[in-house]
């Protein structure tokens, strides 16, 4: 089969993400959430991104947990909530996600949503 390029390939990736998200696949939910967060191939919609991240995070998907935690930490599309952010970072960090481990370490260093280490 011929390799799709550019817009056709991107449209196919988007179609697959939408299809997978409709079936509740956490990787697809996360990919689609990232697109909504960035406005990549879809109209930017932070509320929809949060909804999709939450669905994937509830299934234990580490990247979704980290991204959702980042939204809470920065107040991007939701109320600023350091406790929720740290809780999500901890879940993703336990699965070995390096970005989440770093974010959780920063939470402890700054006393953001956790009891600060001396």
């Amino acid at each position: 089969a011929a390799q799709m390029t550019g817009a056709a390939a991107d449209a196919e990736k988007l179609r697959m993400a939408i299809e997978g998200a409709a079936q509740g696949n956490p990787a697809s939910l996360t990919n689609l959430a990232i697109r909504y967060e960035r406005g990549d191939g879809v109209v930017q919609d932070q509320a929809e991104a949060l909804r999709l991240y939450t669905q994937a995070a509830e299934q234990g998907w580490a990247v979704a947990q980290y991204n959702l935690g980042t939204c809470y930490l920065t107040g991007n599309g939701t109320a600023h909530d350091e406790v929720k952010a740290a809780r999500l970072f901890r879940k993703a960090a336990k699965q070995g996600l390096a970005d989440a481990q770093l974010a959780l370490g920063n939470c402890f260093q700054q006393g953001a949503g956790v009891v600060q280490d001396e």
Side-chain angles (χ1 to χ4, degrees):
Q3 190 71 30
M4 283 191 286
T5 56
D10 196 54
E12 178 62 13
K13 286 179 188 169
L14 176 58
R15 188 193 65 73
M16 289 175 66
I18 291 169
E19 199 173 277
Q23 295 168 7
N25 177 287
S28 296
L29 288 163
T30 303
N31 289 339
L32 194 55
I34 291 167
R35 286 176 169 271
Y36 275 109
E37 191 171 10
R38 295 179 181 162
D40 177 10
V42 294
V43 176
Q44 192 168 14
D45 184 342
Q46 191 60 32
E48 182 64 3
L50 285 167
R51 189 184 73 74
L52 296 166
Y53 281 144
T54 300
Q55 282 185 20
E58 287 171 351
Q59 294 184 53
W61 197 253
V63 174
Q65 291 168 336
Y66 168 73
N67 289 0
L68 185 59
T70 300
C71 291
Y72 280 115
L73 187 65
T74 60
N76 186 6
T78 186
H80 176 80
D81 189 331
E82 293 177 348
V83 174
K84 279 187 179 175
R87 197 174 296 142
L88 287 157
F89 291 155
R90 186 184 307 268
K91 287 179 179 181
K94 282 183 178 175
Q95 296 183 64
L97 189 67
D99 287 340
Q101 292 167 346
L102 181 62
L104 183 61
N106 288 336
C107 286
F108 275 103
Q109 192 173 24
Q110 297 160 13
V114 295
V115 177
Q116 193 166 4
D117 287 352
E118 291 301 317

